Amino acid sequence: MSDSVPEQIEPSELLVLGRAARLELTSDRRAVVAPALDGILGLLDALDAVDLGETPPTNSFDPRWRDLP
Amino acid sequence: MTALTDMSLRSVAAKIRSGEVSPVDVTRECLDRATATEPRLNAFSCILADSAMAEARAAEAEISAGAWRGELHGIPVGIKELYDVAGVPTTSSSKVRENWSAQTDSASVAQLREAGAVILGKTHTHEFAYGISTPNTRNPWNTGCIPGGSSGGSGASVAVGSTFMAMGSDTGGSIRIPAAVCGTVGLKPTFGRCSRAGVTSLSWSLDHVGPLTRTVADAAVCLNALAGYDPRDPGSVDIPAEDYTAALGQDVRGLRIGVPTNYYFDRCDAEVEAAVRAAIDLFAAEGAVISDVEIPYADQIMSVEFALCLPEASEYHRLMLRDDPDLYTEDVRTFLEAGELMPATRYIQALRVRQLMQRAWAKAYEDIDLIVAPAVPSPATRVGQETVDWGNGAIEPVTPVFVRLSAPANVTGLPSIATPCGFTEAGLPVAFQAIARPFGEATSIRLCDAYQRMTDWGERRPAL
């Protein structure tokens, strides 16, 4: 058995991913979503080219009780 | 004689103020224009004729009594279907929210009412703002083409004169894309400049609200009404607003304009590129200082845009997607389902890259005030067209075609104005965008307003 990451996500694999997300995906939906997800994840691979070092994310949290709606 | 509905907001405002025309006349003409054009455009999800006429009569009475509120007083405007308007459905142009009715006005609608605007109707969006084609609506310059999106109804209604301004929202270009392909101005303010309270979210970290108008001067008037801090919007920034009309009527001498050497002119329609470069040449001839600028992290822009937008949209829709999946349109449902399956670590990774990107863009702006580049790389595509063929085997789906030049200003949060700068041989509008520093809306307004006073592209009207 190879440890390498498969190049494409197969519709059948979405059963597990959908279960983890608590999202029911019929076989028809898995067939539609798999190539879409594959394309999106492929786009995100470009993020790996950036050396992030100790860079924190842009999200922030302001603990002051100021102007709370 | 020029019809009122062919005029700019400011021109009509001057006539209202002087008493030459009344808000009732103006509103009636806009309603007539909508009646004439809607069978071919379908820009509106609903037209609020009765309440609009009542508001126009109230404005007329106030102005007659000497209580003129400003240039928006008595001006008919459109509101994108994502915005809450008290007592009116907010369907987001979706069957999922067919019966969703707002109890209160969104911040923008309340601000526009305060300024005296007449709410003429609500304009179609691509379902939940999650797309660039706005399938319900057609392009006024060629009804076989898309009006862009997601604020396609707003672009179409402003272009034909059924409204003088319409609100849009912009997560990956949804103000600037329809503005560009419908031949209107589209102003996306800095992230945090205008409140999003009461506007259905697509992606909290990328969403912006702003106006589509006929002229940049009109956009400045609208921004004066819309800009300001609002604690109800966690993205709102507490920086004082300014009088954006003060930037009007100036020249471009001394403005430092960066022209991208990468990214923005890659895979760009030849007619679009020629029109944008002609605008840049005009700025140079008028005394602007032009220099090259390299766009940092160009390969990661679309990655960050999609890595943030997808999971945030899927989380917003999590319960609705489980309750009513079949009520979504196919493309939106697929995006929402795919977004649920994206690893959380990818989302955080994109937020970290966004941090580096912000620093790099700040450095790129050290010697420039603005970047001028195409607003979108292609004129409006045909309805149903799925890809654009760039030649040499490069075929690109239409969504990234229209998003990729808009997304940088969403990811960086920088203000950007799309301004008409020409037409293709086929008669479709073309636009540049001017991207300024954070909260530098006035600088963009100065440049784009000067351009409109030197050219007449923005004065053309579709023959619809």
Side-chain angles (χ1 to χ4, degrees):
Chain A
M1 192 175 120
S2 166
D3 288 337
S4 64
V5 178
E7 286 188 0
Q8 280 198 316
I9 289 181
E10 296 298 325
S12 59
E13 294 174 292
L14 295 199
L15 198 59
V16 177
L17 290 174
R19 197 174 292 149
R22 307 291 189 258
L23 177 67
E24 185 184 337
L25 288 172
T26 63
S27 58
D28 288 351
R29 294 308 304 163
R30 293 197 295 272
V32 172
V33 175
L37 180 63
D38 208 53
I40 292 158
L41 294 178
L43 177 66
L44 304 194
D45 285 341
L47 297 171
D48 295 334
V50 179
D51 180 1
L52 289 164
E54 298 298 315
T55 308
T58 48
N59 62 339
S60 62
F61 173 71
D62 184 347
R64 288 174 298 175
W65 296 343
R66 189 186 72 143
D67 291 338
L68 290 176
Chain B
M1 197 177 98
T2 307
L4 288 174
T5 53
D6 281 338
M7 294 180 183
S8 69
L9 185 160
R10 293 199 94 191
S11 302
V12 171
K15 289 181 180 294
I16 288 174
R17 186 180 193 186
S18 69
E20 189 180 335
V21 298
S22 88
V24 173
D25 301 329
V26 177
T27 301
R28 192 175 289 122
E29 288 210 19
C30 283
L31 288 169
D32 288 347
R33 184 74 178 131
T35 301
T37 54
E38 277 299 277
R40 286 164 289 171
L41 282 189
N42 198 29
F44 290 91
S45 51
C46 71
I47 294 176
L48 304 167
D50 292 343
S51 59
M53 287 305 294
E55 289 165 20
R57 284 191 289 273
E60 183 183 62
E62 272 191 22
I63 294 165
S64 298
W68 184 69
R69 300 191 195 185
E71 290 180 282
L72 280 165
H73 204 173
I75 297 290
V77 302
I79 305 297
K80 187 178 183 179
E81 188 53 51
L82 292 184
Y83 286 67
D84 283 351
V85 176
V88 177
T90 308
T91 69
S92 299
S93 294
S94 175
K95 287 182 180 166
V96 176
R97 287 227 166 132
E98 211 162 36
N99 300 311
W100 182 278
S101 196
Q103 304 302 310
T104 57
D105 284 335
S106 53
S108 300
V109 170
Q111 289 164 316
L112 291 169
R113 286 196 197 281
E114 182 64 28
V118 171
I119 311 298
L120 193 93
K122 298 192 77 180
T123 53
H124 268 304
T125 171
H126 196 111
E127 185 180 31
F128 285 108
Y130 214 168
I132 53 84
S133 64
T134 318
N136 289 313
T137 305
R138 293 293 179 264
N139 190 304
W141 296 92
N142 181 337
T143 54
C145 291
I146 63 169
S150 62
S151 314
S154 294
S157 75
V158 171
V160 298
S162 49
T163 60
F164 290 93
M165 179 279 270
M167 290 303 297
S169 64
D170 193 318
T171 307
S174 289
I175 289 172
R176 290 160 290 153
I177 296 165
V181 303
C182 288
T184 77
V185 169
L187 191 162
K188 183 201 81 67
T190 309
F191 187 81
R193 176 70 293 172
C194 298
S195 174
R196 305 167 299 177
V199 180
T200 301
S201 175
L202 174 57
S203 167
W204 294 282
S205 62
L206 297 167
D207 291 341
H208 302 66
V209 298
L212 288 88
T213 54
R214 305 225 181 111
T215 70
V216 176
D218 291 353
V221 168
C222 296
L223 189 59
N224 274 1
L226 298 165
Y229 175 61
D230 183 353
R232 294 171 299 171
D233 175 357
S236 187
V237 179
D238 194 0
I239 287 180
E242 52 191 293
D243 176 8
Y244 297 99
T245 61
L248 302 174
Q250 300 184 36
D251 62 30
V252 302
R253 198 172 308 278
L255 279 179
R256 299 170 303 167
I257 296 174
V259 179
T261 54
N262 62 331
Y263 195 71
Y264 280 97
F265 291 100
D266 301 343
R267 281 175 295 150
C268 184
D269 178 271
E271 289 181 284
V272 172
E273 176 165 358
V276 174
R277 291 203 186 277
I280 293 166
D281 289 344
L282 181 58
F283 292 136
E286 293 296 317
V289 180
I290 311 293
S291 62
D292 289 343
V293 62
E294 183 175 350
I295 302 302
Y297 292 103
D299 290 343
Q300 281 74 38
I301 290 168
M302 288 290 272
S303 308
V304 172
E305 170 77 23
F306 278 78
L308 300 185
C309 183
L310 263 83
E312 290 188 12
S314 294
E315 167 51 24
Y316 182 84
H317 287 267
R318 186 164 47 86
L319 296 178
M320 292 183 283
L321 184 63
R322 283 156 179 76
D323 289 345
D324 296 308
D326 296 330
L327 295 184
Y328 286 95
T329 54
E330 178 61 27
D331 60 332
V332 171
R333 180 178 178 179
T334 301
F335 268 131
L336 292 175
E337 289 171 336
E340 291 237 11
L341 310 181
M342 227 186 80
T345 46
R346 279 303 204 194
Y347 177 81
I348 303 296
Q349 186 184 15
L351 287 173
R352 298 178 73 197
V353 174
R354 190 185 201 187
Q355 185 81 266
L356 292 179
M357 207 176 270
Q358 184 185 31
R359 294 178 201 165
W361 275 68
K363 193 166 175 52
Y365 269 76
E366 275 178 355
D367 298 319
I368 59 174
D369 302 308
L370 301 131
I371 286 175
V372 172
V376 290
S378 167
T381 50
R382 305 280 306 173
V383 172
Q385 183 178 333
E386 293 184 351
T387 59
V388 170
D389 185 350
W390 296 112
N392 299 323
I395 294 173
E396 186 179 15
V398 292
T399 298
V401 165
F402 284 107
V403 171
R404 68 179 148 82
L405 302 192
S406 306
N410 296 89
V411 170
T412 60
L414 298 178
S416 176
I417 302 179
T419 305
C421 66
F423 284 82
T424 65
E425 280 189 16
L428 293 171
V430 170
F432 70 80
Q433 62 178 322
I435 308 168
R437 292 158 171 253
F439 299 96
E441 284 84 354
T443 310
S444 296
I445 287 169
R446 174 183 162 191
L447 180 88
C448 298
D449 168 63
Y451 180 79
Q452 289 207 307
R453 286 182 288 105
M454 293 187 283
T455 61
D456 69 352
W457 303 115
E459 293 168 22
R460 301 190 186 188
R461 302 282 176 259
L464 195 68

